Amino acid sequence: MVFSDVDETLINVKSMFDFLHYRLVRRHGTAGEEEYERIMAVIRRRAADGTPREDINRFYYRHYTGESVAEIKSLADDWFTERSASTRGFYIDSTRAALRAHRAEGATIVLVSGSFPPLLEPLAREVGADAVLCTRPRIAAGAYTGEVDTPVIGEGKRAAVLGQLAARPDVDPLDCYAYGDHISDLPMLELVGHPVVVGDDTELRDRLADRAARLSGTGRAS
């Protein structure tokens, strides 16, 4: 089984924020651009102040309160079609090639992301993923409520992957691969025998190197 983060691991953009920009500008033009910059300024300020990524994730989804699920799906399909066709380097080629190779060997491919289904499902179809573990905004009467249950970030990724592994007792985590780009992916990467760092997050590489040294010769993953 192969687990892969999405944003800046499989694709070069942060899907949630790129889509937010796409949605606001497509609907409102210059006013949408200004709204996007206002939202992102708040997000950058909270991140700089040390706000947990899970809380920023929740803040993001509040901007979908009352939005039609069907309309967001339609916009997301347009976003994916345009971005994947026209944005040079939309995919991170090394990760896409690695997933293709795993798939050819018969592995189950699972995308794991703090993003949400409308953005991830077209991508999953494109890369042949078998499952998507992601943040799922609450829905009532065909519209988003603005709330989420459990953001699939950090420890949320660990819990989601553990659930997937529990459903497949025939799969040994030591035989599994996981791909990630950020220190927040560490809880997921620590679960498998073959963690792969995409990009240059030094802290993530160092933490995994320390883990490998501790586990050397034990034959067990933690």
Side-chain angles (χ1 to χ4, degrees), residues 2 19 44 49 75 77 79-81 115 127 132 142 153 163 171 173 177 192 195 201 212:
V2 178
F19 176 69
R44 285 190 287 268
D49 290 343
L75 278 172
D77 287 344
W79 167 83
F80 178 77
T81 297
S115 192
V127 302
V132 175
I153 295 176
V171 173
Y177 286 75
V192 303
D201 189 318

XYZ file of all heavy atoms in Angstrom, residues 2 19 44 49 75 77 79-81 115 127 132 142 153 163 171 173 177 192 195 201 212:
174
model
N 0.467 2.263 -0.745
C 1.254 3.485 -0.900
C 0.379 4.673 -0.526
O -0.713 4.861 -1.092
C 1.765 3.637 -2.346
C 2.547 4.932 -2.498
C 2.622 2.442 -2.738
N -7.610 26.895 -5.403
C -9.025 26.839 -5.776
C -9.804 28.009 -5.191
O -10.705 28.555 -5.845
C -9.655 25.520 -5.330
C -11.130 25.452 -5.607
C -11.596 25.382 -6.919
C -12.055 25.472 -4.576
C -12.972 25.341 -7.188
C -13.416 25.426 -4.835
C -13.871 25.360 -6.148
N -1.869 33.962 6.761
C -0.421 34.136 6.953
C -0.118 34.668 8.350
O 0.857 34.229 8.978
C 0.126 35.076 5.883
C 0.242 34.442 4.503
C 1.012 35.327 3.553
N 0.231 36.483 3.150
C -0.551 36.536 2.077
N -0.665 35.485 1.292
N -1.210 37.641 1.788
N 1.910 33.455 13.801
C 1.695 33.488 15.252
C 1.712 32.096 15.874
O 1.548 31.965 17.093
C 0.349 34.155 15.568
C 0.357 35.650 15.289
O 1.461 36.213 15.171
O -0.734 36.240 15.166
N -17.381 23.840 -10.145
C -16.243 24.760 -10.208
C -14.924 24.014 -10.040
O -13.940 24.322 -10.722
C -16.374 25.828 -9.120
C -17.271 27.019 -9.404
C -17.425 27.862 -8.144
C -16.712 27.867 -10.537
N -14.276 20.909 -10.811
C -13.984 20.173 -12.046
C -13.362 21.105 -13.084
O -12.401 20.739 -13.771
C -15.259 19.542 -12.611
C -15.728 18.339 -11.809
O -14.931 17.795 -11.014
O -16.908 17.945 -11.979
N -11.752 23.896 -12.390
C -10.414 24.239 -11.869
C -9.404 23.165 -12.237
O -8.321 23.468 -12.760
C -10.484 24.406 -10.346
C -9.155 24.450 -9.667
C -8.333 25.540 -9.530
C -8.478 23.359 -9.032
N -7.184 25.189 -8.852
C -7.248 23.855 -8.531
C -8.789 22.011 -8.834
C -6.333 23.051 -7.852
C -7.887 21.216 -8.159
C -6.676 21.726 -7.680
N -9.750 21.910 -11.985
C -8.815 20.833 -12.253
C -8.509 20.732 -13.746
O -7.344 20.579 -14.141
C -9.356 19.502 -11.742
C -8.447 18.346 -12.044
C -7.299 18.138 -11.301
C -8.719 17.482 -13.092
C -6.436 17.097 -11.593
C -7.870 16.432 -13.391
C -6.721 16.237 -12.638
N -9.516 20.826 -14.571
C -9.319 20.729 -16.017
C -8.388 21.831 -16.506
O -7.442 21.576 -17.278
C -10.663 20.819 -16.753
O -11.479 19.712 -16.366
C -10.467 20.785 -18.262
N -6.923 18.773 2.062
C -7.856 19.321 1.089
C -9.145 18.503 1.104
O -9.302 17.585 1.906
C -7.211 19.324 -0.301
O -7.963 20.096 -1.216
N -4.569 9.904 -11.442
C -3.369 9.145 -11.082
C -3.677 7.698 -10.731
O -2.777 6.929 -10.392
C -2.600 9.823 -9.916
C -2.212 11.243 -10.275
C -3.403 9.794 -8.613
N -9.186 7.973 -1.167
C -8.812 9.327 -0.766
C -9.158 9.497 0.709
O -10.320 9.323 1.108
C -9.553 10.389 -1.598
C -9.242 11.785 -1.067
C -9.181 10.289 -3.078
N -27.662 19.812 1.094
C -26.956 20.084 -0.153
C -25.998 21.245 -0.122
O -25.501 21.671 -1.183
N -4.717 16.483 8.844
C -3.424 17.169 8.888
C -2.705 16.674 10.132
O -3.325 16.474 11.180
C -3.603 18.700 8.958
C -4.242 19.226 7.679
C -2.269 19.399 9.186
C -4.541 20.711 7.706
N -6.397 3.926 10.281
C -7.692 3.342 9.977
C -7.660 2.535 8.692
O -8.255 1.450 8.611
N -1.942 -6.330 5.000
C -0.858 -5.439 4.587
C 0.064 -5.171 5.772
O -0.374 -4.739 6.841
C -1.414 -4.110 4.049
C -0.292 -3.117 3.769
C -2.226 -4.352 2.782
N 2.695 -2.813 7.434
C 3.153 -1.426 7.306
C 4.626 -1.313 6.901
O 5.013 -0.339 6.252
C 2.917 -0.847 8.701
C 1.799 -1.662 9.262
C 2.030 -3.049 8.729
N 4.786 2.273 1.506
C 5.482 3.517 1.195
C 4.574 4.687 1.568
O 3.350 4.575 1.555
C 5.800 3.604 -0.296
C 6.930 2.715 -0.757
C 6.734 1.340 -0.884
C 8.181 3.247 -1.070
C 7.765 0.516 -1.313
C 9.216 2.424 -1.497
C 9.002 1.068 -1.626
O 10.023 0.258 -2.043
N 5.147 3.840 8.196
C 5.479 2.888 7.134
C 6.966 2.554 7.131
O 7.791 3.262 7.701
C 5.064 3.447 5.752
C 3.576 3.779 5.732
C 5.898 4.670 5.373
N 9.358 5.555 4.116
C 8.951 6.953 3.987
C 9.813 7.671 2.951
O 11.020 7.444 2.874
C 9.189 7.512 5.386
C 10.318 6.690 5.934
C 10.135 5.304 5.339
N 12.475 19.832 2.880
C 12.189 20.110 4.287
C 13.253 19.430 5.143
O 13.209 18.222 5.399
C 10.793 19.600 4.657
C 10.347 20.048 6.051
O 11.178 20.006 6.975
O 9.175 20.433 6.197
N 15.230 6.321 11.454
C 15.862 5.175 10.796
C 17.027 4.651 11.615
O 17.233 3.434 11.725
C 16.327 5.572 9.400
